[in-house]
Amino acid sequence: MTENTQQTPASNPELPTQYAPAEVEGKLYERWVERGYFEADATSDKPPFTVVIPPPNVTGSLHLGHAFEHTLIDALTRRKRMQGYETLWQPGMDHAGIATQNVVERELAKEGKSRHDLGREAFIDRVWQWKGESGGQISGQMKRLGDGVAWSRERFTMDEGLSQAVQTIFKKLYDDELIYRAERIINWCPRCLTAISDIEVEYQDDDGELVSIRYGEGEDSIVVATTRAETMLGDTAVAVHPEDDRYKHLVGKEIELPLTGRRIPVVADEHVDPEFGTGAVKVTPAHDPNDFEIGQRHGLPSLAVMDEHAIITAHGPFQGLDRLEARSAIVGALRADGRIVAEKRPYVHSVGHCSRCKTTIEPRLSMQWWVKVGPLAKAAGDAVRDGQVKIHPQEMEKRYFDWVDNLHDWCISRQLWWGHRIPVWYGPDGEIVCVGPDEQPPSGEGWTQETDVLDTWFSSGLWPFSTLGWPEQTESLAKFYPNSVLVTGYDILFFWVARMMMFGLYAMDGTPPFHTIALHGMVRDQFGKKMSKSFGNAVNPLDWMDKYGSDALRFTLARGANPGVDVPIGEDWVQGSRNFANKIWNATRFALMNGATIEGELPDPSQMSATDRWILSKLNKTVAEVDAFYDDFQFSKLSEALFHFAWDEVFDWYVELSKTTFFAGGEQAKVSGRVLGEVLDVMLRLLHPVVPFVTETLWTTLTGRESVVIADWPKDSGFRDVAAEQEIELVQQVVTEVRRFRSDQGLQPGQKVPAELTLTGTALAPHEAAIRQLLRLQPAGDGFHATASLPVAGATVALDLSGTIDVEAERKRLTKDLDAAEKEKSQANAKLGNEAFLAKAPDNVVDKIRTRLAKADADIARITAQLANLPQN
């Protein structure tokens, strides 16, 4: 990496009159990459700081959620790089098995073909071809955002090295008897024809029907309710609670299952809630996960009555019907047979859908491969409990423990072609052989490899160490594992984070994959609503970056980022951040034109004005504050602190207070110019991690140095000047109070007014010129007549408003406002004095009236003072 050597600043640094993000962002990013600023050296003796990118799906594009997360990670890594760490932000993408296969299958469908027409090998070749053509979209968008990732290390979860890691850990888990094959209930998508993980199931409220069906006859009858009548063909029992007196006489007996002629037992099981519905439930072990567990406890058979397409296979009149067609037909047949006791339509209930194709999920009994998660999940829980891994914010720990402490075995097989094919071979006589990466698979007649592939989360669960070369013991693995922090959304705490914890602890000899898990919320629209194309409120972040610049989007996102809390965002807020970037630009440009410099040592405080010492004191406080917020992942608070320091204290106060000094010239102007240069230098470095592009342009212009990316992170020098802070606070009080008075009197901001300032005996005297400049106050000349006198901060400001306002018109306006305020006060007092009203009114209504009363009192005091200060006739 090129050293950030000291260069002499240009004698008259110039900036364009306006900041145009589109003209600088792309060029700056290319320069950063070309110079290798974002690369990481595993042989460096610097302390490591490692973050992995949560790998986006290769099928996707950058949405606001990505932009939000990437902004936070980039801010962390840019700061750590400036602090002297060997910083690795590991990039890459996930192969996204089911999503990618669906995309390519849709492309084939346009050609009138299916994957089966191509065959497995040709189809996989087609997917790789598609990945090569379309997979770079996200990389380009990341560059637009300014992501400082180590591009030379980019990985893909299907590349050769990661494939070796997948095969290695599968073999290790299999040999340790933590992977097994069994028939269990899984989430099945009849459209994608595969098992899918819990995270790939989206639940939504659907209109359905709830039908109550009578099983059996007479005293031996029992009523059950279901929203999936078609599954009754696979019922093998009815279950009741053991303590339910209504059904004790039936437990152990058999009753007839309608439409089938089969007789099924009534079993007692504590899973049944006797208070819900009739207190009896139908048991279909092959088509419901809870029923499967009941079936296992009572030795019930599991009868599958649907195939993988959700077509009825049970022999009889419903065979060959789609599940929804069969539902209607079966209810009709039960109604005709007098078996329907009650029907409720519509019946709104939560239904799982495939997140990829939106098809209703079908619970299905299927032979699949599983990970025995018990010991792995315990280790993942213990690592947080014993403090090896911190979860931030801490209140999210409960959600983590609720998950890992109750984790069920994980179905890892998927009936797809795109993905890591399970490294298991089946022999002609029932043999099962698991093959490691350096082993030869068995050959000979009758040997076949498992056709299923692994769940995408299996390979992404290895991400923190597989990307560093594991299972090889590489220099990168030794240097950069474990990761310093994982920054990710709380929504995948269970699915991705927990799996990385389990696999990292297992593969890396008990060393967790990261020290800290920093969880953030979801991006929502300005009204707090989830962003979705179906809601019409989804935003392409590129549109906002094109319109306002990448820095504006980044600052808006960071400014809303409270740990673990959802982030509302609206275009107005991005526009406001663009205005902030412009403010930084214009103020820095003004400062450079008026003597701001970093040349030479910072003058001794004794040579500085109180204004200079005040801003340096504030600067060092801001450095300390920003550092503390970064260490606590408080991006919103650090962004607010930087915003208010830059806009309020530097630009609105320090620059304005110093204008008279700069315009006067001389030695004091040189001192203040050096102080202002110091402030801008430090402020731009503090801002850089969040708004990298505008700060790079301004900082390099100010300093003449190579790049703020590799500049040193500011340190709190410890300089504080309480006296100077108190002195400038007095100045601010005077200016603020007089500005408020001017506004109340209807004076325009630039309108000049004759005034006498009595500052003798106060700390304000040295600031008279600045105060007059800020308040547009002219000297009191001949004929001066004080029509208003304002005592403030131990000083007196006397103003001559004669000829500046229409006193009578102003008195009439204020009198009218005073009457309105007094009427408001009278009405509020009347309501608050009415005991009958107070007894009936809700608390929030009473609180609003009290608030109105307080405002009316404040308005009366303010208007009365304004009337008193009006010039007298």
Side-chain angles (χ1 to χ4, degrees):
M1 182 180 293
T2 308
E3 287 187 66
N4 187 25
T5 53
Q6 172 80 37
Q7 298 177 12
T8 302
S11 57
N12 292 297
E14 294 183 0
L15 289 167
T17 56
Q18 291 184 324
Y19 177 49
E23 295 178 11
V24 301
E25 290 178 351
K27 295 175 184 176
L28 286 181
Y29 192 85
E30 287 178 11
R31 188 171 74 192
W32 292 336
V33 173
E34 287 171 1
R35 294 181 177 180
Y37 294 158
F38 305 141
E39 295 302 324
D41 182 3
T43 65
S44 165
D45 58 2
K46 296 179 182 179
F49 182 83
T50 317
V51 184
V52 294
I53 189 173
N57 288 352
V58 69
T59 57
S61 61
L62 193 73
H63 55 64
L64 270 180
H66 288 122
F68 172 55
E69 187 168 76
H70 290 201
T71 294
L72 305 187
I73 300 174
D74 196 43
L76 286 176
T77 53
R78 284 178 182 271
R79 172 177 176 255
K80 285 296 183 180
R81 188 179 294 112
M82 295 171 75
Q83 286 182 314
Y85 287 79
E86 193 62 41
T87 303
L88 169 60
W89 183 9
Q90 174 66 54
M93 282 181 284
D94 192 281
H95 65 279
I98 191 170
T100 305
Q101 180 157 317
N102 279 346
V103 169
V104 178
E105 285 193 87
R106 284 196 294 269
E107 293 296 313
L108 286 175
K110 295 176 184 177
E111 304 170 14
K113 297 178 182 178
S114 73
R115 60 181 164 123
H116 300 285
D117 294 324
L118 271 67
R120 185 170 189 137
E121 290 188 11
F123 176 77
I124 291 174
D125 289 342
R126 181 68 176 262
V127 180
W128 277 108
Q129 178 186 340
W130 176 88
K131 190 261 181 185
E133 295 169 354
S134 305
Q137 184 176 2
I138 280 187
S139 298
Q141 293 166 337
M142 288 169 60
K143 293 172 182 177
R144 279 290 312 276
L145 190 64
D147 287 2
V149 299
W151 286 112
S152 69
R153 293 171 173 266
E154 186 174 12
R155 304 303 297 269
F156 181 55
T157 51
M158 285 283 287
D159 68 28
E160 184 177 348
L162 270 66
S163 294
Q164 184 182 29
V166 168
Q167 197 170 351
T168 298
I169 201 161
F170 187 99
K171 170 70 171 173
K172 179 174 171 59
L173 288 163
Y174 183 85
D175 290 346
D176 288 345
E177 298 183 349
L178 293 173
I179 282 182
Y180 63 95
R181 190 169 183 247
E183 193 174 42
R184 299 272 185 85
I185 292 283
I186 45 86
N187 301 310
W188 181 263
C189 177
R191 153 61 183 81
C192 299
L193 299 180
T194 181
I196 64 174
S197 66
D198 290 339
I199 197 172
E200 292 165 320
V201 179
E202 292 180 348
Y203 288 90
Q204 65 185 48
D205 288 341
D206 286 356
D207 286 345
E209 60 179 348
L210 181 68
V211 293
S212 297
I213 309 167
R214 178 172 54 83
Y215 288 13
E217 301 292 344
E219 291 185 357
D220 288 349
S221 66
I222 195 166
V223 175
V224 299
T226 182
T227 58
R228 302 168 66 218
E230 69 277 9
T231 64
M232 68 162 292
L233 301 176
D235 286 359
T236 56
V238 171
V240 298
H241 192 274
E243 302 301 322
D244 194 332
D245 291 335
R246 293 172 295 176
Y247 303 119
K248 281 188 175 180
H249 69 287
L250 287 175
V251 175
K253 291 185 178 181
E254 289 188 342
I255 57 175
E256 184 172 323
L257 178 65
L259 305 182
T260 67
R262 286 193 291 113
R263 296 188 67 79
I264 59 175
V266 177
V267 299
D269 195 281
E270 291 189 351
H271 170 76
V272 180
D273 180 1
E275 302 298 323
F276 184 76
T278 64
V281 296
K282 58 191 287 298
V283 182
T284 320
H287 294 278
D288 184 274
N290 293 322
D291 293 3
F292 178 79
E293 297 297 330
I294 293 174
Q296 292 290 295
R297 287 193 288 271
H298 297 277
L300 301 174
S302 297
L303 300 181
V305 296
M306 279 180 258
D307 66 11
E308 65 270 24
H309 298 278
I311 302 298
I312 301 298
T313 57
H315 182 71
F318 312 108
Q319 188 173 13
L321 294 179
D322 171 82
R323 57 183 165 169
L324 298 181
E325 296 172 333
R327 182 177 301 171
S328 178
I330 288 170
V331 170
L334 289 167
R335 190 183 298 113
D337 201 24
R339 293 285 175 176
I340 300 295
V341 175
E343 297 180 68
K344 185 176 181 180
R345 293 193 190 88
Y347 178 74
V348 179
H349 61 130
S350 182
V351 178
H353 296 260
C354 174
S355 63
R356 304 300 177 189
C357 69
K358 311 309 176 186
T359 302
T360 300
I361 292 302
E362 190 64 46
R364 185 168 187 256
L365 185 62
S366 178
M367 183 67 76
Q368 302 285 345
W369 285 92
W370 304 81
V371 171
K372 185 187 295 183
V373 300
L376 302 175
K378 182 180 184 304
D382 290 345
V384 174
R385 286 190 172 93
D386 64 18
Q388 286 189 79
V389 178
K390 304 289 186 184
I391 293 180
H392 191 278
Q394 191 174 1
E395 55 264 28
M396 288 286 181
E397 283 186 2
K398 183 179 184 303
R399 297 180 67 174
Y400 177 79
F401 292 136
D402 286 346
W403 179 256
V404 297
D405 292 347
N406 299 285
L407 202 55
H408 298 296
D409 284 0
W410 172 20
C411 176
I412 56 172
S413 45
R414 299 289 180 266
Q415 290 65 55
L416 304 169
W417 288 356
W418 173 245
H420 294 281
R421 195 167 176 180
I422 292 177
V424 167
W425 271 255
Y426 302 112
D429 298 318
E431 303 97 328
I432 298 178
V433 175
C434 179
V435 177
D438 300 321
E439 300 172 352
Q440 289 295 319
S443 58
E445 188 175 348
W447 283 93
T448 59
Q449 186 179 356
E450 169 64 72
T451 57
D452 288 356
V453 301
L454 289 164
D455 177 13
T456 299
W457 297 103
F458 191 94
S459 50
S460 61
L462 314 180
W463 194 246
F465 52 93
S466 64
T467 52
L468 298 173
W470 186 91
E472 301 298 323
Q473 297 304 306
T474 64
E475 285 183 327
S476 291
L477 188 66
K479 177 75 172 179
F480 297 113
Y481 187 91
N483 292 186
S484 306
V485 61
L486 174 74
V487 180
T488 191
Y490 64 69
D491 56 319
I492 55 173
L493 174 64
F494 315 131
F495 307 105
W496 185 47
V497 179
R499 281 153 174 67
M500 286 190 290
M501 286 285 284
M502 290 191 295
F503 281 163
L505 289 159
Y506 174 74
M508 301 300 292
D509 299 321
T511 302
F514 19 73
H515 297 302
T516 302
I517 302 168
L519 298 171
H520 59 72
M522 313 295 289
V523 177
R524 297 182 178 272
D525 71 13
Q526 58 189 325
F527 307 108
K529 189 175 182 180
K530 180 181 178 181
M531 284 192 171
S532 166
K533 291 181 180 178
S534 61
F535 294 154
N537 63 351
V539 174
N540 182 346
L542 292 177
D543 293 341
W544 283 352
M545 286 193 278
D546 289 341
K547 195 171 182 179
Y548 303 111
S550 298
D551 285 334
L553 177 64
R554 289 171 62 115
F555 192 73
T556 305
L557 292 166
R559 202 173 178 187
N562 289 298
V565 179
D566 288 346
V567 182
I569 184 172
E571 186 169 359
D572 288 350
W573 305 342
V574 185
Q575 186 175 353
S577 295
R578 187 271 313 271
N579 295 344
F580 178 52
N582 288 342
K583 181 77 170 180
I584 300 170
W585 182 274
N586 293 332
T588 304
R589 184 171 178 272
F590 170 86
L592 290 171
M593 293 171 63
N594 287 275
T597 180
I598 64 162
E599 290 188 61
E601 295 295 322
L602 198 63
D604 188 83
S606 63
Q607 299 177 271
M608 299 178 189
S609 68
T611 309
D612 295 334
R613 298 194 304 277
W614 163 76
I615 196 62
L616 289 176
S617 186
K618 288 286 188 180
L619 175 68
N620 280 286
K621 282 185 176 180
T622 302
V623 171
E625 194 174 28
V626 168
D627 272 333
F629 287 143
Y630 261 117
D631 292 341
D632 199 34
F633 305 102
Q634 298 281 357
F635 295 97
S636 176
K637 290 182 179 179
L638 71 90
S639 299
E640 284 295 315
L642 288 169
F643 175 86
H644 289 296
F645 176 74
W647 193 304
D648 299 342
E649 294 176 330
V650 178
F651 303 143
D652 280 359
W653 283 110
Y654 180 74
V655 170
E656 294 299 322
L657 286 170
S658 301
K659 278 182 178 178
T660 53
T661 301
F662 290 136
F663 295 161
E667 287 303 313
Q668 193 57 53
K670 291 181 181 179
V671 171
S672 293
R674 180 63 186 88
V675 170
L676 180 53
E678 181 77 9
V679 171
L680 291 176
D681 170 22
V682 173
M683 183 193 75
L684 291 170
R685 282 185 281 151
L686 289 174
L687 281 164
H688 173 72
V690 181
V691 284
F693 294 108
V694 67
T695 51
E696 172 79 340
T697 305
L698 295 175
W699 190 84
T700 53
T701 303
L702 170 70
T703 66
R705 297 177 186 173
E706 182 180 322
S707 175
V708 70
V709 177
I710 52 173
D712 291 336
W713 181 253
K715 294 180 180 178
D716 175 10
S717 70
F719 177 80
R720 301 288 190 276
D721 193 322
V722 176
E725 289 188 34
Q726 292 173 343
E727 186 172 323
I728 300 305
E729 283 174 10
L730 293 177
V731 175
Q732 291 172 326
Q733 286 180 39
V734 171
V735 173
T736 301
E737 285 299 316
V738 177
R739 277 178 175 169
R740 183 180 295 118
F741 176 78
R742 287 176 56 107
S743 176
D744 289 342
Q745 301 307 316
L747 296 177
Q748 296 300 313
Q751 190 171 353
K752 295 182 178 180
V753 178
E756 280 186 348
L757 274 62
T758 306
L759 308 176
T760 308
T762 73
L764 294 168
H767 304 284
E768 179 170 352
I771 291 172
R772 286 187 176 275
Q773 170 71 24
L774 288 169
L775 290 173
R776 304 295 187 266
L777 301 180
Q778 294 177 318
D782 294 338
F784 175 81
H785 175 60
T787 60
S789 181
L790 302 177
V792 56
T796 302
V797 180
L799 304 171
D800 184 354
L801 301 180
S802 57
T804 61
I805 60 172
D806 185 335
V807 175
E808 285 307 312
E810 185 66 11
R811 182 174 283 113
K812 287 179 180 179
R813 183 185 71 81
L814 290 172
T815 301
K816 184 179 178 180
D817 290 347
L818 182 60
D819 290 342
E822 288 176 338
K823 183 179 179 180
E824 175 75 1
K825 177 178 180 178
S826 176
Q827 291 174 343
N829 274 328
K831 287 187 177 180
L832 293 173
N834 186 334
E835 294 297 333
F837 170 78
L838 293 177
K840 295 178 181 179
D843 289 345
N844 64 317
V845 172
V846 176
D847 288 342
K848 285 182 180 179
I849 294 171
R850 289 195 176 111
T851 301
R852 284 168 49 193
L853 176 60
K855 183 179 183 302
D857 281 333
D859 287 345
I860 290 168
R862 175 178 56 81
I863 297 168
T864 301
Q866 289 175 236
L867 283 167
N869 281 314
L870 281 177
Q872 300 301 312
N873 293 333

